[in-house]
Amino acid sequence: MEIISSVPELQRRSEQLRREGKHIAVVPTMGYLHAGHGSLMKLAKAEADVLITTIFVNPTQFGPGEDFERYPRDIDSDKKLASEAGTDILFTPIVAEMYPEGFQTFVEMGEVFSILEGKFRPTHFRGVATVVAKLCSITKPHVAVFGQKDAQQAFIIQQMVRDLNFDLRVVVAPIAREPDGLAMSSRNVYLSADERRRAASLFQSLQHAKKSILEGAKDVNALRTEMEQIILGIHPFGRSAQPSEIDYVAFVTPLGFQELNNLTGSSVYVLLAVRFSKTRLIDNMLIEIPNR
């Protein structure tokens, strides 16, 4: 596995690979890699001749007071997992390499930037879209692989690729989960033992929504209330336990990311964001709506 930290060096290397007729896949990450990242890399490797994995904790997608400084990092472990998952080139730039002095160009988008995650993290998607655009310019991939856990992010990247005519195919891979259903995330390491037990309620609430929808439920408000009750009531809180705080439970169309008040169409994305003390977790599920 090659390790490259320089933007110009990786651009030259990627251009060389393209001239050689190699098909390139990229998996952008912020590091602290886990099995979920590994599944993305393995999928990407199956799609291409050369896999580039990027590790960059992107400061522009963190808002004031968020966890940029304390975001978990372990580059030695990351190198090992990336290599085992089939990475051919590991890109590990520093902030000054990605955002040199005088940098002032950002990707902006419409309403989808300001709803759900964008409402609670107003500058987040501007930073995400910008860094993904930069990474694609640097790595010159034919295919880029992202995880479904960040469903709104994946939608925004797909929209950006279409709107700006990137010569690129975006693949969205299924969510990798722990045995109890919790979506794998680098931020799970922040959870206390009590919070980790209670976090299983996120997947349980999604499973409840799926079961209800398959049985014919249509009332979004009723489903949301039932999911919130599961999230807030899954654990008998003791004196030291802090109750979960729900940022949102939302039902949106997969193609337009428009929020639904009643379930229509053939499928729905159910998305949620929940805080456990200082740890904020997101999850989602794509559910088919029965034709009844």
Side-chain angles (χ1 to χ4, degrees):
M1 183 177 73
E2 298 179 61
I3 300 177
I4 298 176
S5 299
S6 161
V7 167
E9 182 182 350
L10 184 53
Q11 286 177 316
R12 289 192 295 268
R13 185 76 177 93
S14 297
E15 184 60 33
Q16 175 191 2
L17 290 167
R18 275 184 167 257
R19 286 198 303 268
E20 293 172 356
K22 302 295 186 183
H23 204 70
I24 301 172
V26 66
V27 176
T29 82
M30 292 206 301
Y32 209 69
L33 304 179
H34 50 67
H37 294 110
S39 68
L40 300 184
M41 294 176 210
K42 290 173 184 176
L43 189 157
K45 183 68 172 180
E47 297 276 340
D49 303 306
V50 177
L51 169 58
I52 302 175
T53 298
T54 74
I55 294 178
F56 179 62
V57 183
N58 176 37
T60 66
Q61 69 190 67
F62 290 79
E66 292 187 354
D67 59 343
F68 173 70
E69 294 297 338
R70 70 185 185 102
Y71 191 85
R73 296 162 170 87
D74 189 342
I75 190 61
D76 291 333
S77 175
D78 289 348
K79 290 176 182 177
K80 183 174 184 293
L81 190 150
S83 177
E84 291 174 348
T87 297
D88 299 291
I89 300 173
L90 187 66
F91 182 47
T92 59
I94 61 172
V95 172
E97 186 78 13
M98 292 293 286
Y99 298 106
E101 186 177 355
F103 183 90
Q104 54 184 303
T105 303
F106 290 89
V107 176
E108 298 285 357
M109 202 173 285
E111 181 184 0
V112 72
F113 260 32
S114 61
I115 63 172
L116 302 175
E117 285 299 287
K119 178 180 178 181
F120 288 89
R121 308 178 69 189
T123 63
H124 175 65
F125 287 125
R126 185 180 80 151
V128 168
T130 299
V131 79
V132 170
K134 285 177 65 68
L135 289 170
C136 289
S137 175
I138 294 163
T139 60
K140 307 179 190 296
H142 298 86
V143 60
V145 178
F146 297 88
Q148 183 189 315
K149 183 177 74 70
D150 299 289
Q152 189 174 0
Q153 171 182 288
F155 175 84
I156 284 170
I157 291 166
Q158 289 172 313
Q159 184 75 44
M160 178 182 73
V161 165
R162 287 193 300 270
D163 289 351
L164 300 183
N165 303 113
F166 279 53
D167 182 17
L168 173 67
R169 181 167 59 92
V170 175
V171 174
V172 180
I175 298 173
R177 298 187 179 278
E178 302 288 355
D180 64 356
L182 181 66
M184 291 185 178
S185 169
S186 299
R187 287 187 168 96
N188 290 349
V189 71
Y190 296 156
L191 297 169
S192 69
D194 176 69
E195 290 165 345
R196 176 63 185 81
R197 286 191 296 272
R198 291 189 286 126
S201 65
L202 305 188
F203 184 58
Q204 291 171 9
S205 74
L206 290 167
Q207 287 181 308
H208 172 78
K210 180 177 180 178
K211 180 176 183 292
S212 298
I213 291 170
L214 293 178
E215 290 175 351
K218 296 288 186 182
D219 187 336
V220 164
N221 289 329
L223 280 172
R224 181 184 293 111
T225 297
E226 291 164 7
M227 291 179 66
E228 290 173 346
Q229 289 173 344
I230 291 170
I231 294 168
L232 296 174
I234 191 66
H235 182 72
F237 304 125
R239 285 186 180 180
S240 62
Q242 295 295 318
S244 312
E245 180 181 348
I246 299 171
D247 280 351
Y248 61 80
V249 174
F251 298 73
V252 306
T253 58
L255 295 180
F257 240 75
Q258 300 296 313
E259 288 200 61
L260 296 170
N261 293 317
N262 289 291
L263 296 182
T264 59
S266 60
S267 59
V268 60
Y269 253 134
V270 185
L271 307 106
L272 52 80
V274 180
R275 299 175 189 268
F276 296 88
S277 185
K278 295 181 179 180
T279 305
R280 186 175 185 276
L281 301 181
I282 61 174
D283 203 345
N284 68 82
M285 184 177 287
L286 181 62
I287 302 171
E288 301 300 318
I289 300 174
N291 185 14
R292 290 190 176 130

